[in-house]
Amino acid sequence: MVLVFDIDYVLLVDFWRALYVFEIPNIRHLRVFLEVVECKSISKASERVFLSQPAITQAIAKLETTLGTSLFSRRSDGMYVSESGEVFALRIRRALDMVLEGLRGAVRLGGSKSQPAHLLQMLTTTQLRALVAVTEAHNFSIAGRNLGISQSSLHRAARELEALLGVVLFEKTSTGISSSKAARALARSSKLAFSEISQGRDEIDALHNREVGQLVIGSMPLARTSLLPKAIIAFSRSYPDFRIRVNDGPYDDLLYHLRHGDIDLLLGALRFPVPADDVIQEELFSSPVEIVARPDHPLCREEHVTLETLQRYPWVVPGQGTPTRAIFESTFTEAGLDVPSRLVETGSQVLVRSLLTGSDRLTMISEHQIQHELSMGVFKAVPYEVSHAYRPIGITVRSSWKPTATQSVFIKMLNDSDHGVDLEDQ
């Protein structure tokens, strides 16, 4: 539980820190921007969004100042979107579509009769930031500190949003604040939209040689240190200012944060079937699995070991739901044998090493994962070949995720990397 809390806390702090670095513009200003792109005229856009021309001019100017670029080329016959403007417009359309989808979900789950398209015209970024903060923190006080605003301001924004949507978003409980299904649906879509807008900012920076974008990678606990460092080192030679954050954690927690926009890609053992309908997986390589023990283990002196013999020994195994655990159990059940009962379940490679070196316990593990231990003589393979035992290792991303050009370069480096290494199976 401590580990899970630490992961959630770090990712939550990182998310709000990213928003401070780049303040997400007002949604109304973003809608105005898209109208000007489409109309090629401030006066025509004014008629469609019911804002004065000076207000639209001011909104566009504020966006351009925030992004550090011109979004339009001003001509006598109209406003023509610039290259930077085209890049940003694509991201904003995607972001607003995400918010609209969240509104549809919130209205449906909350039983409201409000029209999502109309609600989108009324929403403010402040309201959505408040929603996300409280939903994540389960506490108005903590959420206020994360946002750097007073608790009363946060309460007001949250209540205004509830009134606008016509649904209940938060309720007090004995342990804090409980978020409704409607709140969670809209909060998730809002976070994805915020990430999309930040992606647009990063792409504009890249166009102007101000490469300060980032990639957040979820790496499963105790990942081997070869594949990822090699790609990072090679990538950093060309993009020294690009930020890469690596977060370790159990698979289920990392998958949650991937789906909620805190993580861009997940690197590790793939799951089958695919764990959610909004993520896609790409295999990089397959890693064979072996049975290993301490080098002076009685079984390591044998020429051939039977499965019945292995069944009698105590084991150290990963938790339920991991690929290697499934391989471990099927190895025995497919032979008509009971799964060994003297098990220690752990995802800690340090603990696995200590238990193996200090006892007759066995473990089933990827041979790539313990190449160093095998070469140093810490572990030794037991002479039993696990049939058809391979772990697919690869990348998991949101199906809606559109990486920037620079992020795509890093992913290509992962694909092109030497795959004689593996990741921890958790």
Side-chain angles (χ1 to χ4, degrees), residues 84-100:
S84 294
E86 287 181 349
V87 167
F88 196 58
L90 173 61
R91 291 292 182 176
I92 298 308
R93 290 189 186 99
R94 287 169 53 85
L96 294 185
D97 284 345
M98 292 172 183
V99 175
L100 183 59

Side-chain angles (χ1 to χ4, degrees), residues 36-108:
V36 176
V37 170
E38 184 175 340
C39 295
K40 299 182 176 61
S41 166
I42 288 180
S43 60
K44 292 180 181 179
S46 175
E47 297 172 0
R48 297 177 63 168
V49 298
F50 306 107
L51 278 179
S52 67
Q53 294 185 36
I56 292 179
T57 300
Q58 185 177 10
I60 296 298
K62 185 173 181 179
L63 274 179
E64 291 181 324
T65 300
T66 300
L67 296 169
T69 188
S70 295
L71 297 174
F72 296 94
S73 173
R74 279 79 168 170
R75 304 178 189 174
S76 58
D77 58 342
M79 301 270 288
Y80 292 86
V81 67
S82 66
E83 183 181 9
S84 294
E86 287 181 349
V87 167
F88 196 58
L90 173 61
R91 291 292 182 176
I92 298 308
R93 290 189 186 99
R94 287 169 53 85
L96 294 185
D97 284 345
M98 292 172 183
V99 175
L100 183 59
E101 184 62 27
L103 288 170
R104 293 192 182 105
V107 166
R108 183 181 68 255

Side-chain angles (χ1 to χ4, degrees), residues 6 28 32 59 62 78 83-84 101 163 191 206 282 322 326 372 403:
D6 285 345
R28 291 174 180 172
V32 165
K62 185 173 181 179
E83 183 181 9
S84 294
E101 184 62 27
K191 286 186 69 176
E282 178 185 357
T322 60
H372 177 70

Side-chain angles (χ1 to χ4, degrees), residues 332-408:
F332 292 95
T333 57
E334 290 179 2
L337 298 175
D338 292 333
V339 176
S341 58
R342 291 185 292 165
L343 305 178
V344 172
E345 293 186 7
T346 181
S348 168
Q349 193 165 347
V350 174
L351 182 57
V352 170
R353 176 171 176 162
S354 297
L355 289 173
L356 262 60
T357 56
S359 71
D360 284 342
R361 288 187 181 274
L362 308 171
T363 195
M364 187 176 288
I365 197 168
S366 161
E367 65 176 20
H368 295 96
Q369 186 174 318
I370 54 167
Q371 281 181 340
H372 177 70
E373 287 83 354
L374 291 172
S375 65
M376 296 296 291
V378 177
F379 293 156
K380 188 174 181 179
V382 172
Y384 181 88
E385 183 178 351
V386 184
S387 302
H388 310 296
Y390 291 88
R391 289 192 312 160
I393 306 299
I395 298 169
T396 304
V397 299
R398 296 185 300 277
S399 55
S400 63
W401 186 55
K402 179 180 172 58
T404 66
T406 311
Q407 290 171 335
S408 296

Side-chain angles (χ1 to χ4, degrees), residues 14-25:
D14 285 343
F15 175 77
W16 292 117
R17 183 181 295 128
L19 289 188
Y20 285 136
V21 172
F22 172 60
E23 183 179 354
I24 300 299

Side-chain angles (χ1 to χ4, degrees), residues 299 305-315 332 336-342 362:
L299 295 184
V305 176
T306 66
L307 197 56
E308 289 78 6
T309 300
L310 294 173
Q311 186 191 34
R312 294 195 292 268
Y313 276 85
W315 288 76
F332 292 95
L337 298 175
D338 292 333
V339 176
S341 58
R342 291 185 292 165
L362 308 171

Side-chain angles (χ1 to χ4, degrees), residues 3-4 48 74 77 112 152 161 163 165 170 191 207 222 238 270 278 299 306 309 311 335 339 368 394 407:
L3 178 60
V4 173
R48 297 177 63 168
R74 279 79 168 170
D77 58 342
S112 172
S152 59
L161 182 58
L165 300 178
F170 305 110
K191 286 186 69 176
L207 282 176
L222 304 174
S238 300
L270 303 180
D278 58 350
L299 295 184
T306 66
T309 300
Q311 186 191 34
V339 176
H368 295 96
Q407 290 171 335

